[in-house]
Amino acid sequence: MKFEEYRISSDIKRSLAEKGFKKPTDIQYKAIPNILKGEDVLAIAQTGTGKTAAFAIPVINILHSNPPSRFTKGSVRALVMVPTHELAQQIAEVFKEIAKYTKLRILALFGSTDQDPQIAAFQKGVDILVTTPGRMFDLRSQGYIDFSGTEFLILDEADRMLDMGFYKDIEDVLRYLPKKRQTLYFSATIDEKIKKLAYSIVKNPIRIQISPDDPISKNISHSVVLVEMDDKRFFLERFINQNADKKLVVFVRTKVRADRVVAAMERVGIKTESIHSGKTHLERKDTMRRLKSGELMVLIATDVSARGVDIPNVDFVINYDLPEEAENYVHRIGRTGRGMQKGKALSFCSTEEKPMLDAIEDYIGHSIATQKLADMDYQETLIFSDADQKTFKDVFKEIAEFEKLNLKKKKK
Ligand code: ADP
Ligand code: MG
C-alpha cells in the first residue's frame, strides 16, 4: 500500500511525496494504523528503518485534524522525549518537514542555548515539543510550560529514556501529564527489564516488533578485526587512506580518546573532527552540518552520537574501541545502512577487549565474523604509517650520522 492510499490528510501526503516517501517501511506499515486508532504502542524495529515517520505521520495527522479551539499559554499537545540535542533537533526537523503544509507549531528544546526565544515560542503554545529532559524541566519549573492538556507522550530511543539515567525524569514527567493520553515507545533495542517498566506505565500497549531475531539491520555487514590497543591508530590511518572518498563515523570510548584520535590523525595529515559531550552545542551543530554536507568525511564520536542520528551516506562505521554497553554496538553500527542504503562496519578488538566482544555477541545472539590479520599485513600497517615513516626518517638520519662518525674514526 502506498502513502497515496492512506486515510491521512492530503496536506501530509503532499509533503511525504516531496520527501520522496512513496511506500511505508515495515514499521510504518504496522505502527501507523494502530496509532491513528488511538492505541498505545511499543514498537521495536532495527536502526534506519524509518521509526521517526512511523510516529510522526499519525501524530501529525491526529493533531492537524483536530485543532484546538484556542491555544493556551505554555500548552503542549504532543511531548516527544529524546536523549540528545542532536536528536531533538533532527526529530523536530522531520516533524517540520512532514507537517510543512499544516499549521502545526513544532519546537525543538534543549539546553546550552539561549532560552528567551524558547520562552517566546511557548507564549503562543506549541503543538509538538521535541526535547531532552533538562531544559524542559527548567522552563516548566519557571512556569512557562503547561502539560495539563497534553495528548501524546512519545519516547524515542525508549529503552535509553527508561534506563537509569533518565528514568527519574520520565517519572516526573508522568506526574505532570494527564492520565488520559496516548503513549508511544520506539526503539531499536529493548530488554525485559525495560519492557516491564514500559508496561507498568501504560496498560496493554500494542506491541510491534520487526525481525525480532536479529537486532541488526539487514543492510549492514559487520566484522571484527583483532588489533592491539597501541596499534589502533595506525590501522585507522591505513583504513582512512584506503577509503579516502568514503564517509566514516569512528566510535571511541571516551571524549579524551576522541580528541587524542583527532590529534593522532592530524599528525599524519588526516583531517577529522570529534563530537562528544565536552563540546559546546554550537561546535556539535557545526560539526554535524559539515559531516552531513560532506565537507567533513571522518567523524570521531563517543556514544552520545550512537543513537538515532541520521547522517546521509555514511559508508563505514569503525568501532575504534568496542562499546562498554553491548546494545550500543547495535546503535553505533546503525549509523550506516540507513533507509534503502547498504553499510559496512568494522570493529577493532584488542586482547583486553575480548570479554566485551563476547558480551556483544551474546547480546545480538550470534557471533561476528572475525578477521585475523596475517602477521605480514599487520606489520605492514605499522611500517607504512606516516607516523612511523617520520620516525623511520629519524632512524635513517641516525644511521647516516653514525656511519659518518665511523668513517671519521676509520680515517684516523
Ligand atoms: P530509525 O529511527 O528507524 O533509525 P529514521 O526515522 O531516522 O530511522 O529513518 C532512516 C532514514 O530512512 C531517514 O533518512 C528517512 O528519511 C528514511 N525514510 C524513512 N521512511 C521512509 C520511507 N517510507 N521511504 C523512504 N525513505 C524513508
Ligand atoms: Mg530513530
mmCIF file of all heavy atoms in Angstrom, residues 365-390:
data_model
loop_
_atom_site.group_PDB
_atom_site.id
_atom_site.type_symbol
_atom_site.label_atom_id
_atom_site.label_comp_id
_atom_site.label_asym_id
_atom_site.label_seq_id
_atom_site.Cartn_x
_atom_site.Cartn_y
_atom_site.Cartn_z
ATOM 1 N N GLY A 365 23.041 -12.255 19.815
ATOM 2 C CA GLY A 365 22.571 -13.624 19.608
ATOM 3 C C GLY A 365 23.303 -14.397 18.532
ATOM 4 O O GLY A 365 22.877 -15.481 18.158
ATOM 5 N N HIS A 366 24.376 -13.863 18.025
ATOM 6 C CA HIS A 366 25.193 -14.653 17.087
ATOM 7 C C HIS A 366 26.616 -14.110 17.076
ATOM 8 O O HIS A 366 26.870 -12.995 17.552
ATOM 9 C CB HIS A 366 24.599 -14.643 15.674
ATOM 10 C CG HIS A 366 24.411 -13.280 15.094
ATOM 11 N ND1 HIS A 366 25.432 -12.588 14.488
ATOM 12 C CD2 HIS A 366 23.317 -12.474 15.048
ATOM 13 C CE1 HIS A 366 24.961 -11.415 14.074
ATOM 14 N NE2 HIS A 366 23.683 -11.318 14.417
ATOM 15 N N SER A 367 27.531 -14.909 16.521
ATOM 16 C CA SER A 367 28.922 -14.442 16.522
ATOM 17 C C SER A 367 29.144 -13.484 15.354
ATOM 18 O O SER A 367 28.377 -13.470 14.394
ATOM 19 C CB SER A 367 29.886 -15.617 16.460
ATOM 20 O OG SER A 367 29.670 -16.312 15.265
ATOM 21 N N ILE A 368 30.176 -12.680 15.467
ATOM 22 C CA ILE A 368 30.500 -11.697 14.430
ATOM 23 C C ILE A 368 31.732 -12.215 13.689
ATOM 24 O O ILE A 368 32.674 -12.697 14.326
ATOM 25 C CB ILE A 368 30.805 -10.316 15.059
ATOM 26 C CG1 ILE A 368 29.654 -9.883 15.977
ATOM 27 C CG2 ILE A 368 31.071 -9.273 13.983
ATOM 28 C CD1 ILE A 368 29.963 -8.638 16.812
ATOM 29 N N ALA A 369 31.696 -12.132 12.369
ATOM 30 C CA ALA A 369 32.836 -12.603 11.581
ATOM 31 C C ALA A 369 34.095 -11.887 12.038
ATOM 32 O O ALA A 369 34.115 -10.664 12.154
ATOM 33 C CB ALA A 369 32.592 -12.329 10.105
ATOM 34 N N THR A 370 35.125 -12.660 12.349
ATOM 35 C CA THR A 370 36.363 -12.065 12.849
ATOM 36 C C THR A 370 37.488 -12.279 11.844
ATOM 37 O O THR A 370 37.716 -13.392 11.389
ATOM 38 C CB THR A 370 36.765 -12.688 14.203
ATOM 39 O OG1 THR A 370 35.667 -12.547 15.091
ATOM 40 C CG2 THR A 370 37.987 -11.999 14.784
ATOM 41 N N GLN A 371 38.150 -11.171 11.499
ATOM 42 C CA GLN A 371 39.295 -11.279 10.603
ATOM 43 C C GLN A 371 40.546 -11.193 11.445
ATOM 44 O O GLN A 371 40.695 -10.271 12.222
ATOM 45 C CB GLN A 371 39.333 -10.115 9.616
ATOM 46 C CG GLN A 371 38.029 -9.860 8.912
ATOM 47 C CD GLN A 371 38.091 -8.566 8.120
ATOM 48 O OE1 GLN A 371 39.164 -8.080 7.784
ATOM 49 N NE2 GLN A 371 36.927 -8.007 7.832
ATOM 50 N N LYS A 372 41.411 -12.165 11.260
ATOM 51 C CA LYS A 372 42.692 -12.077 11.942
ATOM 52 C C LYS A 372 43.693 -11.691 10.874
ATOM 53 O O LYS A 372 43.878 -12.411 9.899
ATOM 54 C CB LYS A 372 43.045 -13.412 12.582
ATOM 55 C CG LYS A 372 44.107 -13.261 13.635
ATOM 56 C CD LYS A 372 44.303 -14.558 14.409
ATOM 57 C CE LYS A 372 45.383 -14.409 15.461
ATOM 58 N NZ LYS A 372 46.661 -13.925 14.959
ATOM 59 N N LEU A 373 44.269 -10.518 11.024
ATOM 60 C CA LEU A 373 45.211 -10.075 10.004
ATOM 61 C C LEU A 373 46.455 -10.954 10.043
ATOM 62 O O LEU A 373 46.984 -11.240 11.109
ATOM 63 C CB LEU A 373 45.616 -8.624 10.246
ATOM 64 C CG LEU A 373 44.573 -7.573 9.881
ATOM 65 C CD1 LEU A 373 45.163 -6.196 10.047
ATOM 66 C CD2 LEU A 373 44.091 -7.771 8.460
ATOM 67 N N ALA A 374 46.868 -11.366 8.866
ATOM 68 C CA ALA A 374 48.100 -12.145 8.786
ATOM 69 C C ALA A 374 49.228 -11.291 9.351
ATOM 70 O O ALA A 374 49.188 -10.060 9.259
ATOM 71 C CB ALA A 374 48.382 -12.490 7.335
ATOM 72 N N ASP A 375 50.220 -11.922 9.947
ATOM 73 C CA ASP A 375 51.302 -11.202 10.594
ATOM 74 C C ASP A 375 51.955 -10.175 9.662
ATOM 75 O O ASP A 375 52.200 -9.039 10.051
ATOM 76 C CB ASP A 375 52.352 -12.198 11.081
ATOM 77 C CG ASP A 375 52.768 -11.847 12.496
ATOM 78 O OD1 ASP A 375 51.928 -11.253 13.218
ATOM 79 O OD2 ASP A 375 53.905 -12.147 12.869
ATOM 80 N N MET A 376 52.152 -10.576 8.422
ATOM 81 C CA MET A 376 52.758 -9.700 7.417
ATOM 82 C C MET A 376 51.948 -8.403 7.268
ATOM 83 O O MET A 376 52.481 -7.306 7.285
ATOM 84 C CB MET A 376 52.778 -10.400 6.054
ATOM 85 C CG MET A 376 53.988 -11.255 5.813
ATOM 86 S SD MET A 376 55.443 -10.245 5.567
ATOM 87 C CE MET A 376 55.128 -9.654 3.899
ATOM 88 N N ASP A 377 50.647 -8.588 7.091
ATOM 89 C CA ASP A 377 49.744 -7.469 6.866
ATOM 90 C C ASP A 377 49.751 -6.530 8.069
ATOM 91 O O ASP A 377 49.740 -5.316 7.945
ATOM 92 C CB ASP A 377 48.338 -8.020 6.645
ATOM 93 C CG ASP A 377 47.564 -7.159 5.687
ATOM 94 O OD1 ASP A 377 48.201 -6.383 4.963
ATOM 95 O OD2 ASP A 377 46.325 -7.259 5.664
ATOM 96 N N TYR A 378 49.761 -7.145 9.226
ATOM 97 C CA TYR A 378 49.766 -6.381 10.470
ATOM 98 C C TYR A 378 51.041 -5.539 10.547
ATOM 99 O O TYR A 378 50.994 -4.327 10.775
ATOM 100 C CB TYR A 378 49.710 -7.357 11.648
ATOM 101 C CG TYR A 378 49.221 -6.751 12.935
ATOM 102 C CD1 TYR A 378 47.934 -7.020 13.393
ATOM 103 C CD2 TYR A 378 50.036 -5.930 13.709
ATOM 104 C CE1 TYR A 378 47.484 -6.474 14.593
ATOM 105 C CE2 TYR A 378 49.593 -5.384 14.895
ATOM 106 C CZ TYR A 378 48.318 -5.655 15.331
ATOM 107 O OH TYR A 378 47.869 -5.128 16.505
ATOM 108 N N GLN A 379 52.183 -6.170 10.309
ATOM 109 C CA GLN A 379 53.467 -5.453 10.369
ATOM 110 C C GLN A 379 53.519 -4.343 9.328
ATOM 111 O O GLN A 379 54.003 -3.247 9.581
ATOM 112 C CB GLN A 379 54.647 -6.414 10.144
ATOM 113 C CG GLN A 379 54.830 -7.438 11.260
ATOM 114 C CD GLN A 379 54.893 -6.791 12.644
ATOM 115 O OE1 GLN A 379 55.362 -5.665 12.786
ATOM 116 N NE2 GLN A 379 54.389 -7.473 13.659
ATOM 117 N N GLU A 380 52.982 -4.658 8.146
ATOM 118 C CA GLU A 380 52.976 -3.700 7.055
ATOM 119 C C GLU A 380 52.233 -2.428 7.461
ATOM 120 O O GLU A 380 52.680 -1.316 7.195
ATOM 121 C CB GLU A 380 52.272 -4.331 5.860
ATOM 122 C CG GLU A 380 52.849 -3.962 4.531
ATOM 123 C CD GLU A 380 52.149 -4.744 3.455
ATOM 124 O OE1 GLU A 380 50.945 -4.468 3.236
ATOM 125 O OE2 GLU A 380 52.776 -5.623 2.864
ATOM 126 N N THR A 381 51.098 -2.598 8.120
ATOM 127 C CA THR A 381 50.307 -1.449 8.543
ATOM 128 C C THR A 381 51.115 -0.554 9.473
ATOM 129 O O THR A 381 51.104 0.659 9.360
ATOM 130 C CB THR A 381 49.025 -1.913 9.265
ATOM 131 O OG1 THR A 381 48.320 -2.749 8.377
ATOM 132 C CG2 THR A 381 48.171 -0.749 9.676
ATOM 133 N N LEU A 382 51.842 -1.177 10.359
ATOM 134 C CA LEU A 382 52.628 -0.404 11.313
ATOM 135 C C LEU A 382 53.764 0.316 10.590
ATOM 136 O O LEU A 382 54.032 1.489 10.829
ATOM 137 C CB LEU A 382 53.184 -1.313 12.413
ATOM 138 C CG LEU A 382 52.133 -2.067 13.229
ATOM 139 C CD1 LEU A 382 52.794 -2.853 14.345
ATOM 140 C CD2 LEU A 382 51.108 -1.104 13.829
ATOM 141 N N ILE A 383 54.401 -0.382 9.638
ATOM 142 C CA ILE A 383 55.554 0.197 8.944
ATOM 143 C C ILE A 383 55.135 1.326 8.011
ATOM 144 O O ILE A 383 55.792 2.352 7.927
ATOM 145 C CB ILE A 383 56.310 -0.906 8.171
ATOM 146 C CG1 ILE A 383 57.047 -1.798 9.174
ATOM 147 C CG2 ILE A 383 57.318 -0.291 7.195
ATOM 148 C CD1 ILE A 383 57.596 -3.058 8.572
ATOM 149 N N PHE A 384 53.991 1.156 7.337
ATOM 150 C CA PHE A 384 53.614 2.143 6.329
ATOM 151 C C PHE A 384 52.830 3.326 6.872
ATOM 152 O O PHE A 384 52.403 4.185 6.127
ATOM 153 C CB PHE A 384 52.881 1.484 5.160
ATOM 154 C CG PHE A 384 53.827 0.694 4.319
ATOM 155 C CD1 PHE A 384 53.690 -0.669 4.179
ATOM 156 C CD2 PHE A 384 54.892 1.326 3.705
ATOM 157 C CE1 PHE A 384 54.593 -1.405 3.430
ATOM 158 C CE2 PHE A 384 55.794 0.605 2.957
ATOM 159 C CZ PHE A 384 55.646 -0.768 2.811
ATOM 160 N N SER A 385 52.683 3.358 8.180
ATOM 161 C CA SER A 385 52.047 4.532 8.753
ATOM 162 C C SER A 385 52.939 5.751 8.538
ATOM 163 O O SER A 385 54.161 5.661 8.641
ATOM 164 C CB SER A 385 51.847 4.319 10.244
ATOM 165 O OG SER A 385 51.778 5.571 10.872
ATOM 166 N N ASP A 386 52.306 6.881 8.255
ATOM 167 C CA ASP A 386 53.055 8.114 8.102
ATOM 168 C C ASP A 386 53.789 8.465 9.391
ATOM 169 O O ASP A 386 54.888 8.992 9.376
ATOM 170 C CB ASP A 386 52.120 9.273 7.738
ATOM 171 C CG ASP A 386 52.172 9.533 6.249
ATOM 172 O OD1 ASP A 386 52.968 8.845 5.580
ATOM 173 O OD2 ASP A 386 51.432 10.411 5.770
ATOM 174 N N ALA A 387 53.137 8.180 10.496
ATOM 175 C CA ALA A 387 53.739 8.475 11.797
ATOM 176 C C ALA A 387 55.045 7.707 11.914
ATOM 177 O O ALA A 387 56.056 8.248 12.335
ATOM 178 C CB ALA A 387 52.794 8.073 12.913
ATOM 179 N N ASP A 388 54.999 6.434 11.502
ATOM 180 C CA ASP A 388 56.198 5.625 11.584
ATOM 181 C C ASP A 388 57.256 6.069 10.597
ATOM 182 O O ASP A 388 58.428 6.032 10.884
ATOM 183 C CB ASP A 388 55.842 4.158 11.348
ATOM 184 C CG ASP A 388 55.798 3.440 12.675
ATOM 185 O OD1 ASP A 388 55.388 4.104 13.643
ATOM 186 O OD2 ASP A 388 56.196 2.277 12.738
ATOM 187 N N GLN A 389 56.802 6.498 9.411
ATOM 188 C CA GLN A 389 57.789 6.934 8.425
ATOM 189 C C GLN A 389 58.617 8.085 8.979
ATOM 190 O O GLN A 389 59.793 8.173 8.733
ATOM 191 C CB GLN A 389 57.097 7.351 7.128
ATOM 192 C CG GLN A 389 56.789 6.126 6.271
ATOM 193 C CD GLN A 389 56.001 6.477 5.051
ATOM 194 O OE1 GLN A 389 55.957 7.632 4.661
ATOM 195 N NE2 GLN A 389 55.365 5.495 4.463
ATOM 196 N N LYS A 390 57.962 8.942 9.747
ATOM 197 C CA LYS A 390 58.705 10.046 10.339
ATOM 198 C C LYS A 390 59.804 9.505 11.237
ATOM 199 O O LYS A 390 60.938 9.901 11.147
ATOM 200 C CB LYS A 390 57.767 10.968 11.112
ATOM 201 C CG LYS A 390 57.204 12.035 10.196
ATOM 202 C CD LYS A 390 56.176 12.867 10.900
ATOM 203 C CE LYS A 390 55.260 13.495 9.883
ATOM 204 N NZ LYS A 390 53.921 13.673 10.372
#
